[in-house]
Amino acid sequence: LMNVVFAVETVLRELYSPDKINLASFGNMTPHVHWHVIPRWMDDRHFPQPIWGMVQRETAVIRPLISQEILARKLAEFLDPLINTRGN
């Protein structure tokens, strides 16, 4: 699971060039496993607070739009060696 979380982080860093990435895992109401991999920029509306925290500034910075297809392809490329070496 952590290999996938780190792969998503790596791909998001490559595609979006954020200032940092927040990794978070919650299961407050229903016990389950999921991860948030959140790209952050110093000029985003909530920085340095969490994205669900209070708005710090009213900015509308336009970030590059990356299609789901590009994101999926990059993630598959990154994960393929990890997956294919597990069975050997």
Side-chain angles (χ1 to χ4, degrees):
L1 175 60
M2 293 312 299
N3 284 339
V4 174
V5 171
F6 297 146
V8 171
E9 177 184 3
T10 299
V11 169
L12 290 178
R13 284 183 187 281
E14 179 182 326
L15 293 175
Y16 291 100
S17 300
D19 294 316
K20 66 178 292 181
I21 298 260
N22 290 145
L23 301 177
S25 176
F26 301 107
N28 297 339
M29 300 299 287
T30 304
H32 64 289
V33 175
H34 74 276
W35 280 86
H36 299 264
V37 184
I38 308 163
R40 300 298 306 275
W41 293 268
M42 293 187 348
D43 60 357
D44 75 40
R45 293 182 67 215
H46 298 276
F47 193 87
Q49 300 299 316
I51 60 166
W52 45 81
M54 291 183 57
V55 172
Q56 303 297 304
R57 67 193 59 76
E58 292 295 334
T59 59
V61 176
I62 306 298
R63 304 283 178 216
L65 184 60
I66 308 294
S67 71
Q68 289 181 345
E69 292 79 17
I70 291 172
L71 182 59
R73 186 179 73 244
K74 287 285 195 183
L75 190 53
E77 289 170 6
F78 193 88
L79 287 173
D80 186 56
L82 294 174
I83 293 168
N84 287 327
T85 58
R86 293 297 252 173
N88 296 335

